[in-house]
Amino acid sequence: MTRLLIVEDNPELVGCLYAFLEPLGYVLDDARDGLTGLRMATENSYDAVLLDVRLPQLDGLALCRRLRQEFQNPVPVLMLTAQASIDDLVRGLAEGADGYLVKPFSLQELHARIHAMVRRAQCRLVQGSLVWEDLIVDTQLPQAWRQGQRISLTPTTHKLLLCLMRTAPAVVKKQEMAYLLWGDSPPPSDALRTHIHDLRQQIDKNFRSHLIKTMHGIGWSLGDGQKAESSS
């Protein structure tokens, strides 16, 4: 049984989602504004949240940001939006969303996205930590463990690593990483590569296999640790 929260102010779309998802065995709750959605998401346990971007009282981006930063809630979030601009996509992913679906969308694609997100999250989340391969990361404290060895992280590398963990194995683009750290005012220097280098030093340097993979000119991802990667 998969329990979903739908945060959407369009009653016709909400009705359509109920008609499609309930026969597939999903248990659904819904909220029509952002503040109610945030309260429900933090007071109840859900396997995933379907979140509209444009909402009354609290927009979807702010809701997702508060869910991740204020409440440290790792529930998978799929954002539903009529906006398809790159800026919106980058901002949503930087705030902690797991994916985007642009309206109007295929209900079959929606079902496939939910299934993939829930399955991935169930494999990663273990008692307040995120797990990928042999790496365990505390979602609240800047610390991790790899092959039983405790690793102390800085607040910045912790934030970057959580972003990579929540997105894995997909690539996090450089623009998303920069927005995560500095918002709309990134420094002119190549500071992001420096922080990625620091993160590599913390979680990859002393191990035979390297987890952080570089997609040159695009961004970074977490790999399977089978092949060493040394460039930043």
Side-chain angles (χ1 to χ4, degrees):
M1 181 179 68
T2 302
R3 188 178 183 190
L4 302 180
L5 173 63
I6 302 168
V7 189
E8 167 65 61
D9 65 339
N10 184 328
E12 292 183 1
L13 179 54
V14 173
C16 182
L17 293 175
Y18 268 83
F20 177 73
L21 293 171
E22 281 192 323
L24 296 176
Y26 290 93
V27 175
L28 306 177
D29 289 331
D30 66 273
R32 303 303 173 90
D33 65 79
L35 288 178
T36 302
L38 181 63
R39 177 182 57 78
M40 293 178 68
T42 54
E43 291 180 356
N44 303 293
S45 178
Y46 294 101
D47 296 294
V49 175
L50 306 183
L51 178 60
D52 187 24
V53 173
R54 309 300 179 193
L55 290 167
Q57 299 190 40
L58 183 70
D59 68 56
L61 294 173
L63 191 160
C64 190
R65 179 174 63 252
R66 291 187 61 184
L67 194 64
R68 298 299 192 223
Q69 297 182 5
E70 184 177 337
F71 295 95
Q72 294 293 312
N73 190 324
V75 62
V77 173
L78 180 65
M79 302 204 81
L80 310 177
T81 178
Q83 305 290 328
S85 73
I86 295 299
D87 286 345
D88 275 350
L89 299 180
V90 169
R91 286 189 63 199
L93 294 172
E95 300 294 8
D98 295 86
Y100 255 93
L101 207 51
V102 178
K103 302 174 184 177
F105 49 80
S106 159
L107 292 173
Q108 287 75 18
E109 181 181 0
L110 173 68
H111 175 47
R113 293 279 198 97
I114 295 170
H115 180 72
M117 283 196 319
V118 171
R119 182 179 57 185
R120 188 171 63 191
Q122 288 172 342
C123 292
R124 290 190 316 219
L125 185 59
V126 179
Q127 295 181 348
S129 299
L130 295 178
V131 180
W132 179 262
E133 295 291 327
D134 58 357
L135 178 66
I136 303 172
V137 181
D138 193 310
T139 59
Q140 299 188 44
L141 300 176
Q143 60 186 0
W145 294 263
R146 189 168 180 199
Q147 298 177 10
Q149 178 178 327
R150 184 178 180 278
I151 302 168
S152 294
L153 302 167
T154 67
T156 298
T157 55
H158 184 234
K159 185 180 293 187
L160 292 176
L161 184 54
L162 286 178
C163 180
L164 287 169
M165 295 282 281
R166 288 178 174 133
T167 309
V171 175
V172 181
K173 295 181 180 179
K174 291 194 284 187
Q175 301 98 312
E176 299 167 26
M177 287 286 203
Y179 187 87
L180 177 67
L181 295 184
W182 301 293
D184 294 320
S185 304
S189 65
D190 202 10
L192 180 58
R193 286 176 62 88
T194 299
H195 289 305
I196 293 293
H197 173 76
D198 291 343
L199 180 59
R200 277 200 164 102
Q201 294 294 304
Q202 291 168 328
I203 71 165
D204 276 346
K205 182 180 179 181
N206 297 320
F207 300 92
R208 297 181 63 182
S209 61
H210 293 177
L211 293 176
I212 300 178
K213 308 298 179 183
T214 299
M215 295 292 291
H216 293 286
I218 301 175
W220 299 271
S221 68
L222 291 181
D224 57 13
Q226 295 301 308
K227 188 176 181 181
E229 171 75 61
S230 59
S231 61
S232 59

